[in-house]
């Protein structure tokens, strides 16, 4: 038997080898994933400053590489925060490097997306990526970068500085990527449409390799309140996190430690908790033994009196914006939306927002059109694995006067500091009881309203039909009876027809 | 006699147009006084159809229904009824005839639509019920055509033919029983009986074999279940010429019931009178004839047997014991025979042997 040989690989190397887990599965999927990652970074960058996003995406053909793969140049421009020059190389050239490892709702979470796009482009085309950015200050910085995959470090090929005369603020990312646009096209266009739906305050422009222009215009300049960074909630803490907090803390006793490092833990709660878990308030956190840390974590989960997390770390769309977004992209006849109160799973706060839209330009199919979103990102793959799909299909729709062959779209949006994705690819929400319950509650709420709408509509239709029947036949009866009776003048039946309208019910 | 007829006919016309006008005026007046018009008529629902043993036919009971133009479900049929009344009025006035099929299509010219033939037929039945006149009075006839042959001279009353006569033995295929015939006057006959025959084949055979002269009879082809005008015609032959009516049908429950409807009428026409001939006789083919004459026969089907059980419970079959006896025989022998079955004894057997025997037996 030969000796096993050991080797260490870097994070970039890992994701290079396993790029499919980040959604870069094949050339058509990769081109979609690249656009998506960059657009989401841009939206984050604009929203963090509460700026109405203006995003321009251009994919241009750079010639054929092989039979079914072409080389494209992808350029994404935004009017977001921009990046300080000293962070640019790592932000785009070092896997698992980012500014979003914080407890607040953001599209980005892993510090991976942008790099995966650049990395995929690089391994296919061996060309550097160009990043141009300014925070709106005096200068604009431009970098040409590649990633040293083995060492997970950016390689700066070129760096330029320009005077920012126009006080431009934003970021431009441009690189080369191999892919199959024609196959990816439907998903890409769907992605833009759905992104526009859940970001109704954004202008999105896409120019495709054929030169076709797709524009999604904002319908509002209202924006959701940006999320505030929060502390970890006691219920969501594990041994590792607690050890990290102990490592960084400057607090000298447990009471202060709890008050300063945990979400919504005040003096009274902290004291009660310490009594509950039999730990002394004056104990120095850094003196806790390993066993004590384990006990602390266990009690943090057991103690019932912690206040639930507040939702200031979340930034849901809100009912008005959700409505505006659905209206703008689906143009239905009727919409009803519902936002649930904040809830938590495993110490992570989340909010479910849902909407049902009926009629108008929504096409009839033989199933509901489900639109899924998480932190304002459309989820386009693996619909059937998503918890909301299961909840929607478990409902007895007939009770709500709704059937799948009706032109109905259902929109689900989950916001959380930690979206319970099943995979790194951010494609579908896993089935957790707390999440399932909230989705079901929201759905019940809007279903009731759609039922009400359906009944009313049915009633109005019936009423309209009823009146039209009388309006059609009574004059004929007058006409025939006048002839038959041998009279000259037709009887006046206006009042009779009007009376049908007046009494709501038929005899 | 012709003059008297003429006045009788104009009187009838005036009476019919009068009742249609009355209906129209009633609707008009209600509308004019600002109320939703209603029309009441005897109910034709099954619980209101009773068999009257004295009249020996089905009649409608006391229950009435009211159609109101206020009711969303009534307003359309109400309108159709008003139209049908107007249309009938025009037909009667111009002395034009029409068929049920015509009614259905004519409606479209007035921008009135019927969903189907059945719907328009129902409205005509409503009109009959509401006015108490049969559709033939309104000059509306069904499509089915039956025929008559024999020595009977008729005098036409239809416009353009007044004063003309026709002997019903003048055309060897028989003469169609249509509106012109049913509205004609009977002038002269040498016949002393009427023989009604279910099937065209046998009707032709009887004419060829000169049954009309051998048996002094008027032959009537019912062509299956006798149309209403044919039943009305048979009644007139019986009542006005005062001669008996004999009916020959297939030897099966369906044939038997054809005879029964001629004799006792149908539930569908319970709102009308004079469509049945209570004194007519069913002369064959009986179940017992199948045995007696050793007729070639076929086994009864399941539907035949089911039908026999139904007929057993039918009030019309409770009068003359003949019916129940024959039903029992059918059920016992479980066989049926068509009129054509007689051919096994040669073409003339039925005319020379069977017919005289049966006529004698049933007179
Ligand atoms: N258009 C941009 N404007 C401003 N900052 C950006 C932009 N794109 C990327 N960044 C910065 O670069 C970092 C890395 O981006 P990247 O997409 O790799 O990871 P992420 O967005 O943090 O997480 P995720 O892997 O979920 O996308 C971000 O955290 C952000 O700070
Ligand atoms: Mg990102």
């Amino acid at each position: 038997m030969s000796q096993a040989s050991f080797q260490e690989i870097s994070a970039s190397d890992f994701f290079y080898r396993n790029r499919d887990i980040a959604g870069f599965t094949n050339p058509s999927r990769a081109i979609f994933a690249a656009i998506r990652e960059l657009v989401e970074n841009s939206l984050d960058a604009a929203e963090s400053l509460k700026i109405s996003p203006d995003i321009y995406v251009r994919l241009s053909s750079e010639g054929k590489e092989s039979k079914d793969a072409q080389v494209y140049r992808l350029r994404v421009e935004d009017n977001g925060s921009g990046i300080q020059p000293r962070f640019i190389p790592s932000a785009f050239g070092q896997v698992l490097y980012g500014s979003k490892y914080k407890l607040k709702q953001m599209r980005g979470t892993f510090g991976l997306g942008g790099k995966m796009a650049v990395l995929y482009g690089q391994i296919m085309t061996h060309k550097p990526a160009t990043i141009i950015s300014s925070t709106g200050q005096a200068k604009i910085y431009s970098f040409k970068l590649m990633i040293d995959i083995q060492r997970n470090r950016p390689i700066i090929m070129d760096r330029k500085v320009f005077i920012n005369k126009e006080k431009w603020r934003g970021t431009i990312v441009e690189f080369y990527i191999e892919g199959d646009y024609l196959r990816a096209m439907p998903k890409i266009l769907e992605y833009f449409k759905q992104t526009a739906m859940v970001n109704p305050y954004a202008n999105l422009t896409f120019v495709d390799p054929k030169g076709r222009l797709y524009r999604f215009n904002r319908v509002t300049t209202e924006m959701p309140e940006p999320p505030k960074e929060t502390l970890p909630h006691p219920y969501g803490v594990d041994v590792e996190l607690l050890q990290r907090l102990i490592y960084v803390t400057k607090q000298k006793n447990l009471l202060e430690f709890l008050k300063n490092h945990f979400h919504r833990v005040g003096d009274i709660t902290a004291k009660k908790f310490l009594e509950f878990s039999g730990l002394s308030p004056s104990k120095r956190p850094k003196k806790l033994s390993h066993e004590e840390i384990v006990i602390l974590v266990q009690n943090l989960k057991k103690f019932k009196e912690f206040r639930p997390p507040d939702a200031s770390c979340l930034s849901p769309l809100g009912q008005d914006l959700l409505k505006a977004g659905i209206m703008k992209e689906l143009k239905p006849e009727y919409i009803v939306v519902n936002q649930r109160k904040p809830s938590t799973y495993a110490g992570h706060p989340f909010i479910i927002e849902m909407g049902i839209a009926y009629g108008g330009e929504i096409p009839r199919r033989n199933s509901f059109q489900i639109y899924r979103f998480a932190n304002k990102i459309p989820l386009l793959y693996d619909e059937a694995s998503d918890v909301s799909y299961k909840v929607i299909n478990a409902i007895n729709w007939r009770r709500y006067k709704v059937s799948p062959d009706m032109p109905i779209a259902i929109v689900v949006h989950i916001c959380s500091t930690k979206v319970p994705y099943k995979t790194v690819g951010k494609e579908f929400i896993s089935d957790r009881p707390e999440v399932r319950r909230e989705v079901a509650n929201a759905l019940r709420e809007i279903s009731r309203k759609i039922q009400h709408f359906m009944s009313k509509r049915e009633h109005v239709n019936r009423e309209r039909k009823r009146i039209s029947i009388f309006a059609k036949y009574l004059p004929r009866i007058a006409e025939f009876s006048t002839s038959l009776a041998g009279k000259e003048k037709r009887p006046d039946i206006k009042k009779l027809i009007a009376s049908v309208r007046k009494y709501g019910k038929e005899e | 006699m012709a003059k008297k007829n003429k006045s009788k006919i104009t009187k009838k016309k005036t009476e019919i147009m009068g009742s249609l006008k009355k209906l129209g005026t009633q609707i008009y007046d209600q509308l004019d006084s600002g109320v939703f018009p209603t029309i009441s008529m005897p109910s034709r629902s099954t619980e209101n159809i009773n068999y009257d043993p004295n009249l020996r036919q089905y009649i409608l009971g006391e229950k009435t229904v009211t159609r109101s133009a206020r009711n969303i479900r009534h307003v359309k049929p109400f309108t159709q009824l008003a139209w049908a009344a107007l249309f009938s009025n025009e037909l009667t006035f111009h002395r034009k005839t029409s068929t049920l099929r015509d009614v259905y299509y004519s409606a479209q010219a007035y921008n009135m639509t019927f969903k189907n033939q059945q719907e328009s037929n129902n409205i005509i039945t409503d009109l009959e019920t509401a006015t108490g006149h049969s559709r033939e009075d309104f000059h509306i006839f069904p499509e089915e055509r039956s025929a008559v042959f024999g020595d009977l001279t008729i005098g036409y009353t239809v416009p353009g033919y007044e004063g003309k006569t026709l002997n019903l033995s003048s055309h060897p295929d028989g003469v169609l029983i249509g509106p012109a015939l049913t509205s004609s006057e009977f002038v002269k006959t040498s016949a002393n009986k009427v023989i009604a025959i279910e099937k065209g084949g046998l009707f032709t055979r009887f004419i060829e074999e000169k049954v009309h002269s051998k048996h002094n009879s008027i032959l009537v082809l019912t062509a299956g279940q006798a149309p209403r005008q044919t039943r009305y015609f048979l009644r007139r032959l019986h009542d006005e010429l005062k001669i008996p009516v004999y009916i020959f049908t297939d030897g099966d429950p369906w044939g038997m019931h054809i005879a029964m409807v001629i004799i006792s009428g149908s539930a569908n026409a319970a709102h009308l009178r004079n469509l049945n001939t209570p004194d007519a006789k069913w002369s064959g083919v009986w179940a017992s004839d199948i045995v007696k004459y050793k007729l070639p026969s076929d086994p009864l089907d399941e539907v035949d047997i089911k039908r026999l059980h139904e007929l057993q419970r039918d009030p019309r079959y409770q009068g003359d014991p003949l019916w129940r006896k024959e039903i029992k025989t059918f059920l016992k022998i479980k066989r049926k025979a068509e009129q054509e079955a007689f051919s096994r004894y040669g073409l003339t057997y039925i005319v020379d042997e069977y017919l005289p025997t049966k006529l004698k037996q049933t007179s």
Side-chain angles (χ1 to χ4, degrees):
Chain A
M1 220 209 268
S2 70
Q3 241 349 147
S5 75
F6 291 88
Q7 189 185 355
E8 182 190 347
I9 65 165
S10 70
S12 49
D13 205 352
F14 174 80
F15 282 106
Y16 160 66
R17 292 165 195 234
N18 297 292
R19 46 193 175 271
D20 47 330
I21 63 175
F24 289 77
T25 323
N26 55 52
S28 89
R29 184 84 183 256
I31 206 159
F32 162 75
I35 289 176
R36 178 194 150 150
E37 292 296 347
L38 297 187
V39 167
E40 277 153 24
N41 284 349
S42 293
L43 286 168
D44 273 344
E47 261 177 50
S48 64
L49 296 187
K50 218 180 168 180
I51 298 162
S52 306
D54 262 310
I55 299 170
Y56 171 83
V57 179
R58 194 181 68 204
L59 188 68
S60 38
S61 187
E62 292 287 311
K64 257 195 163 26
E65 186 66 11
S66 69
K67 205 156 67 54
D68 36 31
Q70 264 206 303
V71 175
Y72 299 97
R73 185 162 47 144
L74 175 61
R75 180 183 174 95
V76 179
E77 286 182 35
D78 66 53
N79 64 340
S81 59
I83 316 167
Q84 292 193 21
R86 65 178 187 281
F87 300 128
I88 291 176
S90 289
F92 288 93
Q94 184 177 340
V95 167
L96 304 186
Y97 180 94
S99 62
K100 305 177 194 169
Y101 299 119
K102 287 174 185 157
L103 279 176
K104 67 173 177 181
Q105 174 188 329
M106 296 270 243
R107 291 178 185 76
T109 46
F110 303 118
L112 180 66
K115 269 80 72 177
M116 280 312 291
V118 170
L119 186 144
Y120 189 85
Q122 174 181 326
I123 58 175
M124 293 303 203
T125 67
H126 309 289
K127 289 193 170 112
T130 304
I131 303 14
I132 303 165
S133 189
S134 173
T135 53
Q137 304 296 315
K139 287 173 183 151
I140 298 172
Y141 298 87
S142 167
F143 288 83
K144 269 194 182 3
L145 297 171
M146 288 186 87
I147 303 175
D148 179 341
I149 295 173
Q150 276 187 19
R151 291 174 50 236
N152 189 22
R153 283 286 173 274
I155 307 166
I156 301 170
M157 319 284 284
D158 188 24
R159 180 181 185 276
K160 284 201 181 82
V161 184
F162 304 96
I163 307 293
N164 191 5
K165 272 198 236 124
E166 319 270 312
K167 291 278 169 255
W168 173 71
R169 187 203 59 242
T171 303
I172 299 169
V173 179
E174 185 173 285
F175 63 95
Y176 296 85
I177 186 166
E178 201 183 292
D180 184 348
Y181 173 69
L182 281 184
R183 280 185 54 202
M185 185 169 81
K187 277 280 186 221
I188 292 172
L189 297 182
E190 187 60 26
Y191 171 78
F192 276 110
K193 178 189 165 82
Q194 293 196 25
T195 302
M197 195 192 306
V198 81
N199 300 275
Y201 43 81
N203 273 343
L204 306 175
T205 308
F206 173 50
V207 182
D208 87 351
K210 293 229 147 70
R212 282 174 295 214
L213 173 85
Y214 299 90
R215 249 193 97 83
F216 300 85
N217 291 327
R218 69 171 64 93
V219 286
T220 174
T221 49
E222 282 299 304
M223 289 184 63
E225 229 10 77
K228 295 191 181 67
E229 197 182 338
T230 191
L231 298 170
H233 190 275
Y235 290 148
V237 170
D238 57 18
V239 175
E240 172 59 26
L241 179 59
L242 191 61
Q243 273 173 338
R244 284 189 196 197
L245 292 172
I246 290 167
Y247 182 74
V248 298
T249 192
K250 296 194 168 65
Q251 302 304 326
K252 301 280 186 275
N253 63 57
L254 268 183
L255 183 67
E256 290 306 312
F257 175 73
L258 288 170
K259 280 161 64 181
N260 280 289
H261 289 282
F262 292 92
H263 183 53
R264 300 196 79 189
V265 178
D267 198 54
I268 300 171
T269 316
K271 278 180 179 147
K272 270 194 190 159
F273 169 74
L274 288 169
E275 206 182 305
F276 170 81
S277 41
L279 292 163
S280 158
S282 54
K283 175 123 192 163
R284 281 180 74 94
K286 293 200 194 296
K287 286 273 158 60
L288 287 170
S289 70
H290 187 73
E291 286 73 28
E292 281 171 321
I293 289 174
V294 173
I295 288 168
L296 187 57
V297 169
Q298 283 168 350
N299 282 312
L300 282 171
K301 291 201 195 306
K302 262 192 250 161
F303 186 62
K304 291 278 174 289
E305 288 173 63
F306 288 126
R307 282 181 297 165
D310 76 24
S312 60
C313 56
L314 300 182
S315 173
L317 267 183
Q319 307 204 16
D320 292 345
L321 284 179
L322 183 58
K323 231 181 207 172
I326 298 173
M327 196 45 146
K328 149 176 142 80
E329 291 307 319
L330 300 182
K331 300 189 178 60
E333 178 190 331
Y334 173 78
I335 312 178
V336 50
V337 295
N338 179 258
Q339 186 188 61
R340 295 288 303 165
K341 289 216 184 65
S343 181
T344 60
Y345 78 91
H348 307 293
F350 71 95
I351 289 179
I352 299 288
E353 298 178 297
M354 268 186 115
I356 284 193
Y358 171 88
E361 291 183 14
I362 297 175
R364 272 173 203 279
R365 308 189 314 171
N366 39 23
S367 59
F368 300 130
Q369 178 84 54
I370 303 174
Y371 293 98
R372 298 172 296 128
F373 301 98
N375 289 354
K376 300 173 204 150
I377 301 176
L379 309 182
L380 298 184
Y381 287 92
D382 297 323
E383 174 182 274
S385 313
D386 196 286
V387 61
S388 54
Y389 179 87
K390 294 177 197 164
V391 173
I392 288 166
N393 282 291
I395 231 177
N396 177 9
W397 284 102
R398 237 174 311 146
R399 259 185 52 196
Y400 297 102
K401 293 187 188 292
V402 163
S403 68
D405 58 346
M406 289 179 170
I408 282 184
I410 300 178
V411 176
V412 198
H413 182 207
I414 177 169
C415 300
S416 181
T417 45
K418 190 173 188 316
V419 175
Y421 288 118
K422 208 60 183 279
T423 61
V424 198
K426 298 179 186 167
E427 298 304 353
F428 63 95
I429 308 302
S430 60
D431 188 354
R432 290 179 174 262
E434 299 89 341
V435 177
R436 170 184 274 263
R437 194 180 53 231
E438 281 305 292
V439 171
N441 286 342
L443 188 58
R444 198 164 316 115
E445 206 59 46
I446 51 175
S447 305
R448 247 183 245 134
K449 291 202 179 122
I450 195 103
Q451 173 190 14
H452 189 76
F453 166 76
M454 288 295 179
S455 310
K456 212 162 104 189
R457 193 185 138 81
E458 217 173 78
H459 181 80
V460 168
N461 280 349
R462 221 186 303 124
E463 183 62 16
R464 196 178 295 148
K465 212 171 136 201
R466 210 175 66 82
I467 291 167
S468 79
I469 287 174
F470 284 110
K472 178 175 169 191
Y473 289 112
L474 287 176
R476 306 308 306 276
I477 297 178
E479 171 194 340
F480 299 145
S481 65
T482 307
S483 301
L484 199 51
K487 305 273 184 189
E488 294 284 295
K489 195 181 124 278
R490 297 241 182 118
D492 184 6
I493 52 164
K494 281 198 207 83
K495 273 200 192 123
L496 281 184
I497 296 177
S499 76
V500 181
R501 202 180 300 271
K502 210 154 53 193
Y503 313 123
K505 289 208 178 77
E506 72 174 74
E507 283 175 346
Chain B
M1 187 161 135
K3 199 155 189 194
K4 203 182 105 208
N5 282 339
K6 187 129 197 192
S7 67
K8 209 171 113 193
I9 287 156
T10 17
K11 215 183 109 200
K12 177 123 197 197
K13 181 179 159 184
T14 325
E15 183 198 324
I16 289 162
M17 290 187 59
S19 61
L20 289 170
K21 185 172 181 173
K22 199 179 120 209
L23 184 69
T25 309
Q26 183 193 333
I27 299 171
Y28 181 90
D29 289 346
Q30 293 181 83
L31 281 175
D32 202 37
S33 56
V35 299
F36 284 94
T38 60
I39 299 173
S40 294
M41 59 181 99
S43 160
R44 291 197 311 276
S45 70
T46 40
E47 65 267 30
N48 199 41
I49 298 178
N50 309 310
Y51 185 72
D52 184 329
N54 295 324
L55 280 174
R56 294 197 279 175
Q57 77 156 93
Y58 274 114
I59 57 160
L60 295 181
E62 299 287 287
K63 259 180 57 188
T64 60
V65 291
T66 300
R67 298 278 153 80
S68 167
R70 176 73 185 93
N71 185 315
I72 185 78
R73 283 182 304 276
H74 290 176
V75 66
K76 182 181 175 194
F78 193 106
T79 312
Q80 292 170 328
L81 181 62
W83 171 79
L86 179 63
F87 183 68
S88 300
N89 193 55
E90 283 171 14
L91 287 176
T92 315
F93 179 74
H94 297 294
R95 303 184 68 185
K96 289 259 158 54
T97 59
S98 175
T99 64
L100 284 173
R101 193 93 191 120
D102 264 347
V103 170
Y104 174 61
Y105 283 113
S106 301
Q108 294 170 6
Y110 291 78
N111 205 2
M112 282 296 302
T113 45
F114 288 103
K115 220 169 29 213
N116 49 39
Q117 183 72 59
Q118 187 56 46
E119 192 179 58
S120 83
N121 291 359
N122 285 343
I123 292 298
I124 295 301
T125 311
D126 274 355
L127 184 64
E128 292 179 326
T129 317
T131 59
H133 291 289
S134 76
R135 62 176 180 241
E136 287 80 5
D137 289 345
F138 306 132
H139 296 223
I140 298 168
F141 298 89
E143 240 63 35
E144 320 108 312
R145 293 287 159 98
S146 50
V148 57
F149 185 91
D151 177 27
L152 168 65
T153 305
I154 53 135
Y156 290 104
T157 63
V158 286
Y161 287 80
E162 294 104 331
K164 286 191 184 159
T165 59
L166 177 77
N167 186 278
L168 297 182
S169 61
S170 53
H171 185 69
D173 290 336
V175 177
L176 216 63
I177 303 179
L181 186 68
T182 44
S183 66
S184 68
E185 288 298 319
F186 302 156
V187 181
K188 206 174 96 201
T189 186
S190 64
N192 60 15
K193 65 177 81 63
V194 178
I195 299 176
I197 302 139
E198 176 185 346
K199 292 244 179 91
L202 197 66
F203 177 72
T204 312
R205 171 79 53 77
F206 275 24
I207 295 171
E208 286 163 5
E209 296 298 328
K210 306 214 176 347
V211 172
H212 49 282
S213 52
K214 282 182 190 160
H215 293 287
N216 285 334
S217 54
I218 296 168
L219 305 176
V220 172
L221 168 65
T222 69
Q225 191 62 259
R228 274 161 56 167
Q229 56 187 334
T230 308
R231 274 141 61 196
Y232 172 66
F233 184 64
L234 284 169
R235 169 79 178 243
R236 279 193 60 202
L237 289 174
H238 175 269
D239 287 7
E240 294 176 29
L241 303 178
K242 309 223 176 340
I243 54 175
V245 175
Y246 302 95
I247 308 161
F248 281 91
T249 66
D250 280 345
D252 60 27
W254 316 97
M256 180 166 67
H257 198 63
I258 287 170
M260 180 54 88
V261 169
I262 293 172
I263 297 167
S264 297
S266 65
N268 285 340
H271 57 293
L272 298 170
R273 298 285 177 276
N274 297 334
L275 288 182
N276 61 325
T277 312
D279 290 323
K281 295 279 183 269
W282 181 40
S283 304
V285 175
W286 297 350
S288 50
D289 294 345
I290 299 174
V291 184
K292 191 164 158 196
Y293 297 91
K294 296 194 179 59
L295 297 175
S297 58
D298 293 314
L300 289 178
D301 294 330
E302 217 171 285
V303 284
D304 298 328
I305 297 187
K306 201 173 143 246
R307 184 71 181 139
L308 283 165
H309 287 296
E310 274 169 27
L311 297 182
Q312 238 172 356
R313 291 190 299 272
D314 190 309
R316 286 169 288 189
Y317 286 78
Q318 310 309 321
D320 188 340
L322 164 79
W323 299 105
R324 264 142 52 224
K325 200 182 108 240
E326 290 304 323
I327 291 175
K328 275 205 193 103
T329 312
F330 271 126
L331 289 169
K332 199 174 85 202
I333 65 173
K334 290 207 163 48
R335 300 198 76 82
K336 59 184 176 186
E338 290 189 308
Q339 294 176 324
E340 292 85 340
F342 289 96
S343 345
R344 76 175 285 184
Y345 295 114
L347 291 177
T348 57
Y349 173 82
I350 186 168
V351 175
D352 295 339
E353 305 289 331
Y354 179 74
L355 184 64
T357 320
K358 294 299 293 186
L359 287 176
K360 204 176 287 161
Q361 190 183 1
T362 51
S363 63

